[in-house]
């Protein structure tokens, strides 16, 4: 995978750069409640401004479906972005944008209005691509999290302007390349979370890519059921046991070792610290019990598997980690992975909304080699799909 980066750009005085960022942040009462995505823009935006460019930020916000509205306006994000950047940020509406851009001085940063106020943005309509392209000389895509969509601002622009990966995009692509593109072996994948059905393509792809596939979370129950284990009242997709068997067969053929839990934490009710809590062998789950976490013996064995590996990719928690003590396995395995990463024996890459929350809960997100906050794009990458926004940057 080769693409141009900001290293390939010299002095940008007199140039206008269109930068696709992800400003789709959660908000409540007009306040940004999590500014992770804003912080991810800092390196690229400041570097371009320092090189003398007029910097225009292109982004979507929510789902306005081609209808301009106050609710989905990006105007309200200029101030929070300025706060995070530590420099002024102006806002430019789609009315009179040309004149507003012309009036900017070298090194200025401005947020353009929501790209999705154009219905053609999501259709990658050439006239919308042209509309955006007419404002700038250079295109920088810094939003990996939007790269699984072929939209005008995420894909189309790369074909009509000289295109570069921003610093956040570059870091994400390098980390992902290291984890699954050309990883050091052995490679382990941890796949957990609620349901098999949401991650079938991930599992199918991974068995041909990794040496160890560690299955945990609710989805492990479907695999256990496929192997004839009675899982009681556990979350289980019984209609998918056939598919689970197929995945296990394919893993076998590909030489991928699948690790399913052999002890589990069960309870009769799904509540914090329930009276009926107990740990048992997977073959001893009662009809009125549900599996809510992987057991301690299995986790110890999994930590030993990680010790033999050089690369780890992780999506999905091992248990219902939001409720104590069902966070135990996730926290323990996350700590093992973090320690091995710190020692320098493991490259660890993790992603997924709940996975990131679980790693933060375990207090180890900062110790992983790379944590992706990209959600959908991260999952599609784990499925082995080509992301259109990334493909368009390739030289
Ligand atoms: P991600 O967002 O990281 O991709 P998912 O959304 O696939 O992860 O899965 C996360 C959810 O899976 C969490 O809400 C967690 O409570 C749930 N989960 C994990 N293990 C179990 C289990 N054994 N039973 C029920 N739910 C579970
Ligand atoms: Mg989730």
């Amino acid at each position: 995978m080769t693409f141009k980066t900001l290293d390939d750009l010299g002095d940008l005085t007199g140039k206008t750069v269109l930068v696709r960022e992800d400003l789709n942040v959660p908000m409540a009462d007009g306040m940004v409640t999590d500014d992770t995505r804003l912080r991810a823009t800092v390196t690229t935006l400041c570097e371009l401004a320092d090189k003398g460019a007029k910097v225009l930020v292109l982004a979507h916000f929510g789902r306005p479906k081609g209808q301009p509205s106050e609710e989905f306006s990006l105007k309200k994000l200029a101030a929070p972005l300025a706060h995070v950047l530590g420099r002024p940020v102006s806002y430019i509406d789609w009315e009179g944008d040309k004149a507003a851009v012309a009036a900017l001085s070298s090194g200025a940063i401005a947020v353009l209005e929501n790209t999705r106020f154009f219905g053609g943005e999501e259709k990658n309509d050439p006239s919308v691509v042209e509309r955006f392209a007419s404002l700038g000389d250079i295109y920088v895509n810094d939003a990996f999290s939007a790269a699984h969509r072929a939209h005008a601002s995420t894909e189309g622009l790369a074909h009509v302007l000289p295109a570069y990966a921003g610093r956040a995009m570059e870091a994400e692509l390098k980390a992902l390349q290291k984890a699954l593109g050309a990883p050091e072996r052995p490679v382990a994948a941890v796949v957990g979370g609620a349901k098999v059905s949401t991650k079938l393509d991930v599992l199918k792809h991974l068995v041909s890519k990794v040496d160890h596939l560690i299955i945990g979370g609710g989805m492990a129950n479907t695999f256990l059921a496929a192997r004839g284990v009675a899982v009681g009242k556990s979350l289980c997709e019984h209609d998918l046991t056939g598919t689970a068997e197929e995945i296990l067969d394919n893993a076998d053929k590909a030489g991928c070792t699948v690790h399913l839990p052999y002890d589990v934490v069960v309870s009769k009710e799904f509540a914090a610290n329930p009276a009926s809590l107990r740990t048992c062998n997977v073959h001893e789950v009662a009809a009125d019990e549900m599996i809510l976490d992987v057991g301690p013996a299995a986790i110890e064995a999994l930590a030993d598997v990680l010790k033999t590996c050089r690369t780890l990719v992780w999506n999905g928690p091992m248990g219902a980690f939001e409720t104590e003590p069902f966070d135990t396995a996730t926290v323990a395995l996350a700590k093992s992975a973090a320690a091995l990463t710190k020692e320098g024996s493991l490259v660890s890459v993790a992603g997924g909304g709940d996975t990131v929350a679980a790693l933060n809960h375990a207090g180890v997100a900062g110790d992983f080699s790379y944590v992706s906050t990209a959600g959908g794009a991260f999952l599609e990458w784990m499925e082995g799909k080509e992301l259109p926004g990334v493909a368009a940057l390739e030289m």
Side-chain angles (χ1 to χ4, degrees):
M1 188 169 34
T2 43
F3 45 87
K4 288 191 196 140
T5 71
L6 303 197
D7 293 332
D8 298 300
L9 289 169
D11 181 43
L12 293 170
T13 309
K15 302 275 188 209
T16 302
V17 183
L18 288 159
V19 189
R20 182 57 159 95
E21 292 285 4
D22 185 349
L23 302 185
N24 203 23
V25 292
M27 294 190 80
D29 303 324
M31 303 289 282
V32 175
T33 53
D34 179 352
D35 67 359
T36 309
R37 284 175 165 166
L38 300 187
R39 284 186 280 112
T41 72
V42 173
T43 317
T44 297
L45 298 182
C46 291
E47 187 172 341
L48 290 168
D50 291 342
K51 283 181 167 166
K54 293 181 183 184
V55 182
L56 302 180
V57 181
L58 275 173
H60 75 277
F61 187 71
R63 297 177 185 276
K65 305 219 161 90
Q67 290 305 312
S69 70
E70 198 61 29
E71 185 189 357
F72 295 117
S73 174
L74 274 172
K75 189 175 184 178
K76 56 182 162 296
L77 278 169
L81 185 59
H83 177 75
V84 168
L85 291 171
R87 354 184 142 190
V89 173
S90 52
Y91 154 79
I92 295 178
D93 196 355
W94 291 124
E95 315 255 323
D97 47 320
K98 275 243 163 71
V101 171
L104 291 175
S105 48
S106 170
I109 301 172
V111 181
L112 295 169
E113 184 51 286
N114 196 336
T115 53
R116 292 191 182 170
F117 282 3
F118 294 99
E121 152 77 337
E122 293 184 68
K123 297 190 192 95
N124 207 355
D125 183 329
S127 69
V128 175
V129 174
E130 273 313 315
R131 176 81 171 70
F132 295 155
S134 68
L135 293 173
D137 308 298
I138 290 166
Y139 170 65
V140 172
N141 191 350
D142 203 28
F144 176 83
S145 53
H148 56 316
R149 315 246 190 252
H151 294 172
S153 69
T154 63
E155 200 270 351
L157 275 174
H159 298 294
V160 297
L161 289 178
Y164 300 80
R167 294 299 184 198
M169 172 72 94
E170 182 188 351
E172 180 110 24
L173 293 179
K174 282 189 176 154
L176 298 189
Q177 179 68 9
K178 231 176 167 180
L180 272 191
E184 264 193 68
R185 295 197 171 271
V187 185
V190 170
V191 183
K195 291 179 168 185
V196 177
S197 52
T198 59
K199 295 183 184 171
L200 276 179
D201 290 338
V202 171
L203 294 162
K204 283 181 188 163
H205 178 64
L206 287 178
V207 292
S208 68
K209 282 277 184 182
V210 305
D211 305 291
H212 296 276
L213 177 61
I214 296 167
I215 302 178
M219 71 172 62
N221 303 336
T222 303
F223 282 88
L224 290 170
R227 288 202 165 157
V229 172
V231 296
K233 277 201 313 179
S234 304
L235 175 64
C236 179
E237 293 168 285
H238 290 281
D239 53 322
L240 285 176
T241 50
T243 311
E245 265 178 287
E246 245 172 71
I247 291 170
L248 294 172
D249 278 351
N250 289 341
D252 215 29
K253 283 180 202 139
C256 165
T257 309
V258 177
H259 302 267
L260 288 170
Y262 46 80
D263 65 335
V264 285
V265 179
V266 299
S267 156
K268 288 186 177 138
E269 67 267 68
F270 185 17
N273 305 303
S276 58
L277 184 75
R278 68 183 191 106
T279 298
C280 67
N281 183 282
V282 286
H283 295 288
E284 294 163 359
V285 179
D288 59 350
E289 287 178 321
M290 56 194 137
I291 301 169
L292 290 165
D293 201 11
V294 173
I299 285 300
E300 218 176 285
L302 293 175
D304 284 338
V305 171
L306 292 189
K307 280 185 195 145
T308 69
C309 292
R310 303 288 291 162
T311 305
L312 166 70
V313 25
W314 184 333
N315 169 259
M318 303 302 285
F321 76 100
E322 300 94 335
T323 311
E324 283 189 23
F326 309 113
D327 58 339
T328 309
T330 306
V331 169
L333 198 61
K335 285 190 169 161
S336 299
L340 292 168
T341 307
K342 269 191 171 168
E343 280 169 22
S345 71
L346 191 70
V347 169
S348 53
V349 172
D354 293 296
T355 309
V356 176
L359 295 184
N360 282 329
H361 169 71
V364 298
D367 296 329
F368 270 58
S369 309
Y370 191 81
V371 175
S372 172
T373 53
F378 181 82
L379 271 186
E380 287 199 22
W381 166 78
M382 276 189 81
E383 291 166 2
K385 289 196 183 132
E386 179 171 78
L387 309 185
V390 173
L393 290 177
E394 287 211 44
M395 298 199 294

